Amino acid sequence: MSKYLKRDPLPLLLQSPSPLLRFRASRDLALCDIPGSENSSASSEHVESLPVRYMLSASKNGILGDSSHPDIYYRGTLWNFAVCVIFGLTMAHPLIDSTAQYIISRKQMDCGAFTPDCSPPIPDACMTGNMLHYLLIAGVKGPEIERGISWILDHQRPDGGWISTPVSSYWQLTRFLLWKKSGTIAVNERNDSTASCVYATAACASAMASFYMKDSRITESLSRAADFFLSHNLFCGQPDSGSAAFPRSGRNKNFSLIGFPVFCQYDIITGLEIVTAAEKLHEPGAGEAFNSLVQQQTDFGTIQPHNYGTGMLFQDRCFRKFREDPELWTTLRFLILLKNANHYTHERNR
C-alpha cells in the first residue's frame, strides 16, 4: 500500500458505479491483475458511458464542443477536448483525432505557441502549456508538438517560470474581455522583476513532463520549473495574489484547497506532480505541501475536493448531470501522484 495512506482507497475506485473511474484507475495505476480492473473489458464500457457519450454528442462536423467559441469554459472545443482526454479517450477515437487536428490548425501560431481568440493573435504560455499537455496525453506526436515545446523552452524566464496573460494593464484587460484585443505581454515577459504566473508555469511544466522526448534541455527546463515551485513551498496555503495573472485574481483563496484543474488552474497536487516529474519531491520545499495533502485524507484514504472554482473539472455539467463523484476523482489524482513518486503499490501487486 503506502505509509502515507490511512487506508487503501483503490477498491472504492474499482467498485465505483462510474465506468470512467474504473477505467482510469485500471489504466493509470497499472493494476490489470486486480479483479475487476481489466483494461480490455473496461475500455469499451467507459467509451459507452453516459458522460462520454454526452461529451461526444456535443460535436459538429467532426469537432468537439462549440468551435465558434472554442475558448469558452464548459462548452468550447478546447474544454470538451480536455475533458474527453481526462475521461481516457485518445487519438484512437475519430473525434479526438479530428478535434486535435482542428485545435492545432486553429490555435497554434507559426512560432509554435497557442493563442487565445484575440486580434491580433498573441502567444499565450498558459494556453500553450495546457493544450500541449492534453494533446500529448491524447497521443499526438509530430513537428507541431515539438515546435510548441521549443517555444516553451525559449520563453522560460530567469525565475524558472512563464508569464501568461495576454494583457499588461486593466485597460488592456477591458479591451481583451470586451473586444478580444490582445495587449503587450512581451513587456512584462522581458521584465525580470515581474513574477512569473503560477498558472502558466504549471501548464508549461506539465506539458514538458508529458513530452515524449526527455532530452537534456527538457530535463534542465523542468528542473528549473520545479525550483520555481519549490522556492515558494509549492504555494502551499497561499492565495492567488493576482500579481502575475490579474485576470484570475481572487480565483483561489488558498492553493492548498484541492480540486481537479483543467484550464488555467493550480493546486498543490499539481505542484507535487511537477516536482515529482523533476525527481525533486524529496527536497525541503515540497514537504509542507505534501504533508498538507496527506493530512487532508479521510479515514478511508480518500481526498475530498474543496476547490470548485472556474477551470476546475467539478463545475462541468457531466459531473452535475451524471453524478460522477468528485471525491473519488480527486483520490485518483492522489493515488497516481503517490505511484509516480514510488510511494504506492497495491498490496495485491506485491
Side-chain angles (χ1 to χ4, degrees):
M1 193 172 75
S2 172
K3 64 181 180 180
Y4 299 107
L5 287 172
K6 292 183 178 179
R7 183 184 297 180
D8 190 351
L10 178 65
L12 295 176
L13 273 62
L14 294 177
Q15 295 164 17
S16 165
S18 167
L20 300 176
L21 266 171
R22 296 198 301 271
F23 173 76
R24 284 289 312 273
S26 173
R27 186 192 72 178
D28 298 334
L29 295 171
L31 300 165
C32 296
D33 61 328
I34 303 300
S37 69
E38 294 79 6
N39 278 337
S40 58
S41 60
S43 179
S44 59
E45 185 184 15
H46 106 279
V47 172
E48 293 300 319
S49 66
L50 287 176
V52 169
R53 287 164 56 192
Y54 181 77
M55 297 300 292
L56 297 181
S57 69
S59 62
K60 185 177 181 181
N61 299 323
I63 308 300
L64 291 169
D66 183 353
S67 58
S68 299
H69 305 89
D71 296 3
I72 292 180
Y73 282 19
Y74 306 109
R75 69 178 177 89
T77 295
L78 305 187
W79 181 271
N80 281 28
F81 178 81
V83 171
C84 284
V85 171
I86 290 170
F87 284 171
L89 299 185
T90 67
M91 292 287 282
H93 194 288
L95 272 176
I96 299 298
D97 190 338
S98 58
T99 302
Q101 301 309 320
Y102 169 82
I103 290 171
I104 290 170
S105 64
R106 167 78 183 265
K107 305 297 287 183
Q108 189 172 31
M109 302 175 66
D110 291 341
C111 65
F114 286 70
T115 178
D117 274 358
C118 59
S119 179
I122 189 169
D124 183 87
C126 202
M127 178 168 286
T128 300
N130 282 149
M131 291 319 307
L132 286 173
H133 175 63
Y134 290 116
L135 289 167
L136 283 161
I137 293 175
V140 180
K141 294 183 178 181
E144 294 85 1
I145 298 295
E146 291 162 23
R147 283 195 296 117
I149 293 293
S150 292
W151 185 91
I152 286 177
L153 292 170
D154 292 341
H155 288 78
Q156 191 168 20
R157 306 179 70 245
D159 64 0
W162 287 263
I163 281 184
S164 137
T165 57
V167 294
S168 57
S169 69
Y170 284 100
W171 166 237
Q172 288 188 10
L173 173 62
T174 301
R175 294 173 70 243
F176 178 76
L177 294 176
L178 294 180
W179 303 295
K180 297 297 181 183
K181 296 293 184 181
S182 54
T184 54
I185 181 59
V187 173
N188 277 348
E189 188 179 54
R190 290 192 297 266
N191 185 351
D192 291 353
S193 66
T194 302
S196 291
C197 169
V198 60
Y199 304 106
T201 304
C204 290
S206 296
M208 288 192 296
S210 304
F211 191 45
Y212 45 82
M213 292 192 300
K214 295 293 194 296
D215 59 21
S216 59
R217 195 178 179 199
I218 294 289
T219 301
E220 168 66 19
S221 180
L222 187 57
S223 178
R224 291 178 56 210
D227 288 342
F228 169 83
F229 287 103
L230 290 168
S231 67
H232 295 281
N233 292 320
L234 277 62
F235 298 91
C236 185
Q238 298 183 37
D240 176 4
S241 66
S243 60
F246 59 81
R248 304 180 182 92
S249 180
R251 175 181 294 170
N252 282 323
K253 296 180 180 179
N254 184 340
F255 286 125
S256 294
L257 299 179
I258 304 302
F260 201 117
V262 179
F263 275 117
C264 301
Q265 267 289 5
Y266 174 83
D267 63 13
I268 57 172
I269 293 185
T270 306
L272 290 166
E273 290 168 345
I274 291 165
V275 299
T276 297
E279 299 182 355
K280 292 190 172 188
L281 184 60
H282 62 282
E283 298 200 4
E288 182 182 0
F290 187 80
N291 291 336
S292 172
L293 174 61
V294 169
Q295 290 166 7
Q296 292 183 51
Q297 286 179 86
T298 69
D299 290 339
F300 299 99
T302 60
I303 300 288
Q304 294 181 343
H306 295 286
N307 189 336
Y308 294 83
T310 303
M312 290 290 185
L313 181 62
F314 306 139
Q315 278 199 0
D316 190 271
R317 53 186 175 269
C318 281
F319 278 81
R320 296 198 304 269
K321 188 170 184 177
F322 299 111
R323 299 182 181 178
E324 292 286 329
D325 188 338
E327 183 173 341
L328 293 185
W329 278 92
T330 308
T331 303
L332 176 66
R333 293 185 69 207
F334 179 44
L335 285 185
I336 292 173
L337 169 68
L338 291 178
K339 173 181 176 288
N340 290 340
N342 296 317
H343 288 320
Y344 174 78
T345 303
H346 189 274
E347 56 189 11
R348 294 201 184 196
N349 279 350
R350 289 183 175 181

